[in-house]
Coordinates of all heavy atoms in Angstrom, one line a residue:
M24 N -252.3 -174.1 95.9 CA -251.7 -172.8 95.3 C -250.3 -172.8 95.6 O -249.7 -173.0 96.6 CB -252.4 -171.7 96.1 CG -252.1 -170.4 95.5 SD -253.3 -169.1 95.9 CE -252.3 -167.6 95.2
T25 N -249.6 -172.5 94.4 CA -248.1 -172.6 94.5 C -247.5 -171.3 94.0 O -248.0 -170.8 93.0 CB -247.6 -173.8 93.6 OG1 -248.1 -175.0 94.1 CG2 -246.0 -173.8 93.7
T26 N -246.7 -170.8 94.8 CA -246.0 -169.5 94.4 C -244.5 -169.9 94.2 O -243.8 -170.3 95.1 CB -246.1 -168.4 95.4 OG1 -247.4 -168.1 95.6 CG2 -245.4 -167.1 94.9
T27 N -244.1 -169.8 92.9 CA -242.7 -170.1 92.6 C -241.9 -168.9 92.8 O -242.0 -167.9 92.1 CB -242.6 -170.7 91.2 OG1 -243.4 -171.8 91.1 CG2 -241.1 -171.1 91.0
T28 N -240.9 -169.0 93.7 CA -240.0 -167.9 93.9 C -238.6 -168.4 93.5 O -238.2 -169.3 94.1 CB -240.0 -167.4 95.4 OG1 -241.3 -167.0 95.7 CG2 -239.1 -166.2 95.5
T29 N -238.0 -167.7 92.6 CA -236.6 -168.1 92.1 C -235.6 -167.5 93.1 O -235.7 -166.3 93.4 CB -236.4 -167.6 90.8 OG1 -237.4 -168.2 89.9 CG2 -234.9 -168.2 90.3
P30 N -234.9 -168.2 93.7 CA -233.8 -167.6 94.7 C -232.9 -166.8 93.8 O -232.6 -167.1 92.7 CB -233.1 -168.9 95.1 CG -233.9 -170.1 94.8 CD -234.7 -169.7 93.6
T31 N -232.5 -165.7 94.4 CA -231.5 -164.8 93.8 C -230.3 -164.6 94.6 O -230.3 -164.8 95.9 CB -232.2 -163.5 93.5 OG1 -232.6 -162.9 94.7 CG2 -233.4 -163.6 92.5
T32 N -229.3 -164.1 94.0 CA -228.0 -163.8 94.6 C -227.6 -162.4 94.4 O -227.8 -161.9 93.2 CB -226.9 -164.7 94.0 OG1 -227.4 -166.1 93.9 CG2 -225.6 -164.6 94.8
P33 N -227.2 -161.7 95.3 CA -226.8 -160.3 95.1 C -225.5 -160.3 94.1 O -224.5 -161.0 94.5 CB -226.5 -159.7 96.5 CG -227.0 -160.7 97.4 CD -227.1 -162.0 96.8
Y34 N -225.5 -159.5 93.2 CA -224.4 -159.4 92.3 C -224.0 -157.9 92.3 O -224.8 -157.0 92.0 CB -224.8 -159.8 90.8 CG -223.7 -159.5 89.8 CD1 -222.7 -160.4 89.7 CD2 -223.7 -158.3 89.1 CE1 -221.7 -160.2 88.8 CE2 -222.7 -158.1 88.1 CZ -221.7 -159.1 88.0 OH -220.7 -158.8 87.1
V35 N -222.8 -157.6 92.6 CA -222.3 -156.2 92.7 C -221.7 -155.9 91.3 O -220.8 -156.5 90.8 CB -221.2 -156.0 93.8 CG1 -220.8 -154.6 93.8 CG2 -221.8 -156.5 95.2
T36 N -222.2 -154.7 90.8 CA -221.9 -154.3 89.5 C -220.5 -153.5 89.6 O -220.1 -153.1 90.6 CB -222.9 -153.4 88.9 OG1 -222.9 -152.1 89.6 CG2 -224.3 -154.1 88.9
N37 N -220.1 -153.1 88.4 CA -218.9 -152.2 88.3 C -219.4 -150.9 88.7 O -220.6 -150.6 88.8 CB -218.4 -152.1 86.8 CG -217.6 -153.4 86.4 OD1 -217.2 -154.1 87.3 ND2 -217.7 -153.7 85.1
A38 N -218.5 -149.9 88.9 CA -218.9 -148.5 89.3 C -219.6 -147.9 88.1 O -219.1 -148.0 87.0 CB -217.7 -147.7 89.8
C39 N -220.6 -147.2 88.3 CA -221.3 -146.4 87.4 C -220.3 -145.4 86.7 O -219.6 -144.7 87.5 CB -222.5 -145.7 87.9 SG -223.3 -144.6 86.7
Q40 N -220.2 -145.3 85.4 CA -219.2 -144.3 84.8 C -219.6 -142.9 85.0 O -218.9 -142.0 84.8 CB -219.1 -144.6 83.3 CG -220.4 -144.3 82.5 CD -220.2 -144.7 81.1 OE1 -219.3 -144.3 80.4 NE2 -221.1 -145.7 80.6
F41 N -220.9 -142.7 85.4 CA -221.4 -141.2 85.5 C -221.3 -140.8 87.1 O -220.9 -139.7 87.3 CB -222.8 -141.1 85.0 CG -222.9 -141.5 83.6 CD1 -223.6 -142.5 83.2 CD2 -222.3 -140.6 82.7 CE1 -223.7 -142.9 81.8 CE2 -222.3 -140.9 81.3 CZ -223.0 -142.1 80.8
C42 N -221.7 -141.6 87.9 CA -221.7 -141.1 89.3 C -220.7 -141.9 90.3 O -220.5 -141.6 91.3 CB -223.2 -141.3 89.9 SG -223.7 -143.0 90.2
G43 N -220.1 -142.9 89.7 CA -219.1 -143.6 90.4 C -219.6 -144.6 91.4 O -218.7 -145.2 92.1
A44 N -220.9 -144.8 91.6 CA -221.4 -145.7 92.6 C -221.7 -147.1 91.9 O -222.1 -147.3 90.8 CB -222.6 -145.2 93.2
S45 N -221.3 -148.1 92.7 CA -221.7 -149.5 92.2 C -223.0 -149.9 92.7 O -223.6 -149.1 93.6 CB -220.7 -150.6 92.7 OG -220.5 -150.5 94.0
S46 N -223.7 -150.9 92.2 CA -224.9 -151.2 92.6 C -224.9 -152.8 92.8 O -224.1 -153.5 92.4 CB -226.0 -151.0 91.4 OG -225.9 -149.6 91.1
T47 N -226.0 -153.2 93.6 CA -226.2 -154.6 93.9 C -227.5 -155.0 93.2 O -228.6 -154.4 93.4 CB -226.2 -154.8 95.4 OG1 -225.1 -154.4 96.0 CG2 -226.4 -156.4 95.6
V48 N -227.4 -156.0 92.3 CA -228.6 -156.4 91.5 C -228.9 -157.8 91.9 O -228.0 -158.6 92.0 CB -228.4 -156.3 90.0 CG1 -229.6 -156.7 89.3 CG2 -228.0 -154.9 89.7
E49 N -230.1 -158.2 92.2 CA -230.5 -159.5 92.5 C -230.6 -160.4 91.2 O -231.4 -160.0 90.3 CB -231.8 -159.5 93.2 CG -231.7 -158.9 94.7 CD -230.9 -159.8 95.6 OE1 -230.9 -161.0 95.4 OE2 -230.3 -159.2 96.6
L50 N -229.7 -161.2 91.0 CA -229.7 -162.2 89.8 C -230.0 -163.6 90.2 O -229.7 -164.0 91.4 CB -228.4 -162.1 89.1 CG -227.9 -160.8 88.7 CD1 -226.6 -160.9 88.0 CD2 -229.0 -160.2 87.7
T51 N -230.6 -164.3 89.4 CA -230.9 -165.7 89.6 C -229.6 -166.5 89.4 O -228.6 -166.0 88.8 CB -232.0 -166.3 88.7 OG1 -231.4 -166.4 87.4 CG2 -233.2 -165.6 88.8
A52 N -229.5 -167.7 90.0 CA -228.3 -168.5 89.9 C -227.9 -168.8 88.4 O -226.8 -168.7 88.0 CB -228.4 -169.8 90.6
A53 N -228.9 -169.0 87.6 CA -228.7 -169.2 86.2 C -228.1 -168.0 85.5 O -227.3 -168.1 84.7 CB -230.1 -169.7 85.6
E54 N -228.6 -166.8 85.9 CA -228.1 -165.6 85.3 C -226.7 -165.4 85.6 O -225.9 -165.1 84.8 CB -229.0 -164.4 85.7 CG -230.4 -164.4 85.1 CD -231.3 -163.3 85.6 OE1 -231.1 -162.9 86.8 OE2 -232.1 -162.9 84.8
V55 N -226.4 -165.5 86.9 CA -225.0 -165.4 87.4 C -224.1 -166.3 86.7 O -223.0 -166.1 86.2 CB -224.9 -165.5 88.9 CG1 -223.5 -165.5 89.3 CG2 -225.7 -164.5 89.6
A56 N -224.6 -167.6 86.6 CA -223.7 -168.6 86.1 C -223.4 -168.3 84.6 O -222.2 -168.5 84.1 CB -224.4 -170.0 86.2
A57 N -224.4 -167.9 83.8 CA -224.2 -167.6 82.5 C -223.2 -166.4 82.3 O -222.4 -166.3 81.5 CB -225.5 -167.4 81.7
W58 N -223.5 -165.4 83.0 CA -222.8 -164.1 82.9 C -221.4 -164.2 83.3 O -220.5 -163.8 82.6 CB -223.5 -163.1 83.7 CG -222.9 -161.6 83.8 CD1 -222.5 -161.0 84.9 CD2 -222.6 -160.9 82.6 NE1 -222.0 -159.8 84.5 CE2 -222.0 -159.7 83.1 CE3 -222.7 -161.1 81.3 CZ2 -221.5 -158.7 82.3 CZ3 -222.3 -160.1 80.5 CH2 -221.6 -158.9 80.9
V59 N -221.1 -164.9 84.4 CA -219.7 -165.0 84.9 C -218.8 -165.8 84.0 O -217.6 -165.9 84.0 CB -219.6 -165.5 86.4 CG1 -220.2 -164.5 87.3 CG2 -220.0 -166.8 86.6
T60 N -219.6 -166.7 83.2 CA -218.7 -167.6 82.3 C -218.5 -166.9 80.9 O -218.1 -167.5 80.0 CB -219.4 -169.0 82.2 OG1 -220.8 -168.9 81.8 CG2 -219.3 -169.7 83.5
G61 N -219.1 -165.7 80.8 CA -218.8 -165.0 79.6 C -219.9 -164.9 78.4 O -219.7 -164.5 77.4
A62 N -221.0 -165.4 78.9 CA -222.1 -165.3 77.8 C -222.5 -163.9 77.6 O -222.4 -163.1 78.4 CB -223.3 -166.1 78.5
P63 N -222.9 -163.6 76.4 CA -223.3 -162.3 76.0 C -224.6 -162.0 77.0 O -225.3 -162.8 77.3 CB -223.8 -162.4 74.6 CG -223.0 -163.5 74.0 CD -222.9 -164.5 75.2
I64 N -224.6 -160.6 77.4 CA -225.6 -160.2 78.3 C -227.0 -160.6 77.9 O -227.8 -161.0 78.7 CB -225.4 -158.8 78.7 CG1 -226.3 -158.4 79.9 CG2 -225.8 -157.8 77.5 CD1 -225.6 -158.8 81.2
Q65 N -227.3 -160.5 76.7 CA -228.6 -160.7 76.1 C -229.0 -162.2 76.2 O -230.1 -162.7 76.2 CB -228.9 -160.1 74.8 CG -228.0 -160.8 73.6 CD -226.7 -160.1 73.4 OE1 -226.2 -159.5 74.4 NE2 -226.2 -160.2 72.2
D66 N -227.9 -163.1 76.2 CA -228.1 -164.5 76.3 C -228.2 -164.9 77.7 O -228.8 -165.9 78.2 CB -227.0 -165.3 75.6 CG -227.1 -165.1 74.2 OD1 -228.1 -164.7 73.6 OD2 -226.1 -165.4 73.5
A67 N -227.3 -164.2 78.5 CA -227.4 -164.6 80.1 C -228.6 -164.2 80.8 O -229.0 -165.0 81.7 CB -226.1 -163.8 80.7
M68 N -229.2 -163.2 80.4 CA -230.4 -162.7 81.1 C -231.5 -162.1 80.1 O -231.7 -160.9 80.1 CB -230.1 -161.8 82.2 CG -229.1 -160.7 81.9 SD -228.3 -160.1 83.5 CE -227.1 -161.4 83.8
P69 N -231.9 -163.0 79.2 CA -232.8 -162.5 78.0 C -234.1 -161.8 78.6 O -234.8 -161.1 77.9 CB -233.1 -163.8 77.2 CG -232.9 -164.8 78.2 CD -231.8 -164.4 79.1
D70 N -234.6 -162.2 79.8 CA -235.9 -161.7 80.2 C -235.8 -160.3 80.9 O -236.8 -159.8 81.2 CB -236.4 -162.7 81.3 CG -236.7 -164.0 80.7 OD1 -237.0 -164.1 79.4 OD2 -236.7 -165.1 81.4
R71 N -234.5 -159.8 81.1 CA -234.4 -158.5 81.7 C -234.5 -157.4 80.6 O -234.0 -157.5 79.5 CB -233.1 -158.3 82.4 CG -233.0 -159.2 83.6 CD -231.7 -159.0 84.4 NE -231.7 -159.9 85.5 CZ -232.2 -159.5 86.8 NH1 -232.7 -158.2 86.9 NH2 -232.2 -160.4 87.8
P72 N -235.1 -156.3 81.0 CA -235.1 -155.2 80.1 C -233.8 -154.5 79.9 O -232.8 -154.9 80.7 CB -236.0 -154.1 80.8 CG -236.0 -154.5 82.2 CD -235.8 -156.0 82.3
A73 N -233.5 -153.9 78.7 CA -232.2 -153.5 78.4 C -231.5 -152.5 79.4 O -230.3 -152.9 79.7 CB -232.3 -152.7 77.0
P74 N -232.3 -151.7 80.0 CA -231.5 -150.8 81.1 C -231.1 -151.7 82.2 O -229.9 -151.4 82.8 CB -232.7 -149.9 81.6 CG -233.6 -149.8 80.4 CD -233.6 -151.2 79.8
S75 N -231.8 -152.7 82.6 CA -231.3 -153.6 83.7 C -230.1 -154.4 83.3 O -229.2 -154.5 84.0 CB -232.5 -154.6 84.0 OG -232.1 -155.5 85.1
R76 N -230.1 -154.9 82.0 CA -228.8 -155.5 81.5 C -227.7 -154.6 81.5 O -226.6 -155.0 81.7 CB -229.2 -156.1 80.1 CG -230.2 -157.1 80.1 CD -230.1 -158.1 78.9 NE -230.3 -157.4 77.7 CZ -231.4 -157.6 76.8 NH1 -232.4 -158.4 77.3 NH2 -231.5 -156.9 75.7
E77 N -227.9 -153.4 81.1 CA -226.7 -152.4 81.1 C -226.2 -152.2 82.4 O -225.0 -152.1 82.7 CB -227.2 -151.0 80.6 CG -227.3 -151.0 78.9 CD -226.0 -151.3 78.3 OE1 -225.0 -150.7 78.6 OE2 -226.0 -152.3 77.6
L78 N -227.1 -152.1 83.4 CA -226.6 -151.9 84.8 C -225.8 -153.1 85.2 O -224.7 -153.0 85.9 CB -227.9 -151.9 85.7 CG -227.6 -151.8 87.2 CD1 -226.8 -150.5 87.5 CD2 -228.9 -151.7 88.0
V79 N -226.2 -154.3 84.9 CA -225.3 -155.5 85.3 C -224.1 -155.6 84.4 O -223.0 -155.8 84.9 CB -226.2 -156.8 84.9 CG1 -225.3 -158.0 85.2 CG2 -227.4 -156.9 85.9
R80 N -224.2 -155.2 83.1 CA -223.0 -155.3 82.2 C -221.8 -154.4 82.6 O -220.7 -154.7 82.5 CB -223.5 -155.1 80.8 CG -222.5 -155.5 79.8 CD -223.1 -155.6 78.4 NE -223.6 -154.4 77.8 CZ -222.9 -153.6 77.1 NH1 -221.6 -153.9 76.7 NH2 -223.4 -152.5 76.6
N81 N -222.2 -153.0 82.7 CA -221.1 -152.1 83.0 C -221.4 -151.1 84.2 O -220.7 -150.2 84.3 CB -220.9 -151.3 81.7 CG -222.1 -150.7 81.2 OD1 -223.0 -150.4 81.9 ND2 -222.2 -150.5 79.8
G82 N -222.5 -151.4 84.9 CA -222.7 -150.6 86.1 C -223.4 -149.3 85.8 O -223.6 -148.5 86.8
T83 N -223.8 -149.0 84.7 CA -224.3 -147.8 84.3 C -225.9 -147.7 84.8 O -226.6 -148.6 84.4 CB -224.4 -147.5 82.8 OG1 -223.1 -147.5 82.3 CG2 -225.1 -146.1 82.5
H84 N -226.2 -146.8 85.7 CA -227.5 -146.7 86.1 C -228.4 -146.1 85.1 O -228.0 -145.2 84.4 CB -227.5 -145.6 87.4 CG -226.7 -146.0 88.6 ND1 -225.8 -145.3 89.1 CD2 -226.8 -147.2 89.3 CE1 -225.2 -146.0 90.1 NE2 -225.8 -147.1 90.2
P85 N -229.6 -146.8 84.9 CA -230.5 -146.2 83.9 C -230.8 -144.7 84.1 O -230.9 -143.9 83.1 CB -231.8 -147.0 84.1 CG -231.3 -148.3 84.7 CD -230.1 -147.9 85.6
E86 N -230.9 -144.3 85.4 CA -231.3 -142.9 85.6 C -230.0 -142.0 85.3 O -230.2 -140.8 84.8 CB -231.8 -142.6 87.0 CG -230.7 -143.0 88.1 CD -230.9 -144.5 88.6 OE1 -231.3 -145.4 87.7 OE2 -230.5 -144.7 89.7
C87 N -228.8 -142.5 85.5 CA -227.7 -141.6 85.2 C -227.5 -141.6 83.6 O -227.2 -140.5 83.1 CB -226.4 -142.3 85.7 SG -226.3 -142.1 87.5
W88 N -227.8 -142.6 82.9 CA -227.8 -142.6 81.5 C -228.9 -141.6 80.9 O -228.5 -140.8 80.1 CB -228.1 -144.0 81.0 CG -228.0 -144.1 79.4 CD1 -229.1 -143.9 78.6 CD2 -226.9 -144.3 78.6 NE1 -228.7 -143.9 77.3 CE2 -227.3 -144.2 77.3 CE3 -225.6 -144.7 78.9 CZ2 -226.5 -144.5 76.2 CZ3 -224.7 -144.8 77.8 CH2 -225.1 -144.8 76.5
T89 N -230.0 -141.7 81.4 CA -231.1 -140.8 81.0 C -230.7 -139.3 81.2 O -230.9 -138.5 80.5 CB -232.4 -141.1 81.7 OG1 -232.8 -142.5 81.4 CG2 -233.5 -140.3 81.2
A90 N -230.1 -139.0 82.5 CA -229.7 -137.7 82.8 C -228.7 -137.2 81.8 O -228.7 -136.0 81.5 CB -229.2 -137.7 84.2
M91 N -227.7 -138.1 81.4 CA -226.7 -137.7 80.5 C -227.1 -137.6 79.0 O -226.8 -136.6 78.4 CB -225.5 -138.7 80.6 CG -224.3 -138.2 80.0 SD -223.5 -136.7 80.8 CE -223.1 -137.5 82.4
F92 N -227.9 -138.5 78.6 CA -228.2 -138.6 77.1 C -229.7 -138.6 76.8 O -230.0 -138.6 75.7 CB -227.7 -140.0 76.6 CG -226.2 -140.1 76.7 CD1 -225.6 -141.1 77.5 CD2 -225.3 -139.3 76.0 CE1 -224.2 -141.2 77.6 CE2 -224.0 -139.4 76.1 CZ -223.4 -140.3 76.9
G93 N -230.6 -138.5 77.8 CA -232.0 -138.4 77.5 C -232.6 -139.8 77.5 O -231.9 -140.7 78.0
S94 N -233.7 -139.9 76.9 CA -234.3 -141.1 76.8 C -233.5 -142.2 76.2 O -232.9 -141.9 75.2 CB -235.7 -141.0 76.1 OG -236.2 -142.3 75.8
P95 N -233.5 -143.4 76.7 CA -232.7 -144.5 76.1 C -233.3 -144.9 74.8 O -232.7 -145.8 74.2 CB -232.7 -145.6 77.2 CG -233.9 -145.3 78.0 CD -234.1 -143.8 78.0
E96 N -234.5 -144.5 74.4 CA -235.0 -144.9 73.1 C -234.3 -144.5 72.0 O -233.9 -143.4 71.8 CB -236.4 -144.5 73.0 CG -237.4 -145.0 74.1 CD -237.3 -146.5 74.1 OE1 -237.4 -147.1 73.0 OE2 -237.2 -147.1 75.2
Ligands
LIG129 ZN1 -224.9 -143.8 88.4

């Protein structure tokens, strides 16, 4: 029985534009490598949901976005 665990690295985001707090997101080495070299967020981490990508991309917390604009749909 094998459990594959992908090692992750803490990535500190920019400050959230709404509450001013930055966040730490666990990203895989591949995600970090793609993102820091300028790949579009959807290419750097295609498996993440959009709110998670927004958090990495510009630091916006999904809950802050929802509080300000309502449902992200
Ligand atoms: Zn926030």
